[in-house]
């Protein structure tokens, strides 16, 4: 039995090592192929990251995360929120930490239950 176990382990080891190499050669790729990296403009990278971050604020379901959204995004996406209320949400978040429930927004000055109900389907935390 120990002989079969050792034989099996050896087979698995050899097969596991050789399989990725055979796939690379079979696909017509060189095993030791090197890639060239093109230099990029750092300003372009920063702009792309900023654009990506803005897109990430809204999930695929179209909701906005009250813990990561900027004041501009909050003002733009939420009903009844202007620049002052959006900034108040940001300041509350910075002072007390992330929101753990959407209802916690009522603790922000100027936001009440009517606001929560109006915007509940747009918010996540």
């Amino acid at each position: 039995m120990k002989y079969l176990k050792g034989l099996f382990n050896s087979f698995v080891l050899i097969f596991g090592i050789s399989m990725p190499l055979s796939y690379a050669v079979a696909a017509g790729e060189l095993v030791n192929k090197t890639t060239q990296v093109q230099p990029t403009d750092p300003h372009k990278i920063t702009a792309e990251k900023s654009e990506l971050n803005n897109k990430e604020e809204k999930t695929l379901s179209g909701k906005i995360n009250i813990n990561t959204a900027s004041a501009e995004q909050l003002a733009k996406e939420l009903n009844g929120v202007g620049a002052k209320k959006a900034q108040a949400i940001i300041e509350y978040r910075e002072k007390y930490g992330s929101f753990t429930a959407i209802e916690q927004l009522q603790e922000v000055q100027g936001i009440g239950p009517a606001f929560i109900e109006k915007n509940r389907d747009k918010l996540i935390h």
Side-chain angles (χ1 to χ4, degrees), residues 51-107:
E51 185 177 322
L52 241 177
N53 288 339
N54 289 339
K55 288 180 182 177
E56 288 173 356
E57 296 304 330
K58 289 187 82 176
T59 64
L60 294 176
S61 63
K63 295 188 176 189
I64 189 162
N65 189 326
I66 57 176
N67 289 319
T68 59
S70 68
E72 293 81 19
Q73 290 167 326
L74 290 169
K76 179 181 174 187
E77 299 293 331
L78 300 178
N79 295 330
V81 174
K84 287 185 180 182
K85 277 190 190 175
Q87 189 57 42
I89 292 170
I90 301 296
E91 288 171 2
Y92 182 92
R93 187 173 70 197
E94 290 172 353
K95 186 174 182 180
Y96 298 104
S98 297
F99 292 96
T100 56
I102 294 171
E103 289 76 18
Q104 195 176 3
L105 276 171
Q106 293 181 46
E107 296 174 16

